[in-house]
Amino acid sequence: MTSARFDLITGEPPPPRTPGAVNIYTREYFQLMHDRLAEGGITTYWLPVGRSDPGTNVNAIIRAFCEVFDDCSLWNATPFDLMLVGTRDAGPVSEAEFVTPWTIADLR
C-alpha cells in the first residue's frame, strides 16, 4: 500500500499448508516485494518445506520467485527449512567479498 522503497525486505510467512497462505507464495506477491525494493536492495523469504501439504508444489514456488528475481538463490539451513534470496539489481559478489564476514571474529 506504499510507494516507499526499502533496502531489505524479509519474509517469514506461515507454511504453505496454512489456509490462505497460498497467496503469499505466488509470482504476483514476489513481484510486489521486488517493486518495493530500492536499487541494490535484497529480499529473503523463508520457505518451510518440512511438513508441506501433499498438494504444495515447492518447485513452483521457487520458480515463481526466480522469475521475479533474476539473481535468485536458494539456501538450506536444515533439512526442513529453505530460504530464498534475491536482489534488485545488486550485481554479482565475488567469492572474496562473500567470505570476508567469516574471517572477522566478531561476525563469525
Side-chain angles (χ1 to χ4, degrees):
M1 300 297 298
T2 180
S3 61
R5 303 260 178 173
F6 303 92
D7 294 328
L8 173 66
I9 298 175
T10 186
E12 191 172 332
R17 72 178 184 280
T18 304
V22 66
N23 299 314
I24 56 176
Y25 288 96
T26 63
R27 186 189 190 291
E28 293 79 11
Y29 187 81
F30 298 140
Q31 187 66 55
L32 290 171
M33 292 172 64
H34 178 275
D35 293 347
R36 294 297 171 254
L37 279 178
E39 286 297 315
I42 187 170
T43 188
T44 63
Y45 208 70
W46 180 52
L47 182 54
V49 296
R51 291 178 283 145
S52 62
D53 184 26
T56 300
N57 186 337
V58 174
N59 290 338
I61 295 169
I62 296 167
R63 186 178 323 107
F65 187 88
C66 291
E67 286 175 354
V68 173
F69 295 96
D70 292 335
D71 63 343
C72 69
S73 60
L74 182 66
W75 295 72
N76 183 5
T78 72
F80 308 111
D81 297 299
L82 303 175
M83 184 176 67
L84 292 160
V85 178
T87 71
R88 183 173 180 146
D89 304 320
V93 175
S94 70
E95 183 178 346
E97 290 173 298
F98 183 80
V99 300
T100 296
W102 282 272
T103 66
I104 302 169
D106 288 343
L107 296 179
R108 280 186 277 183

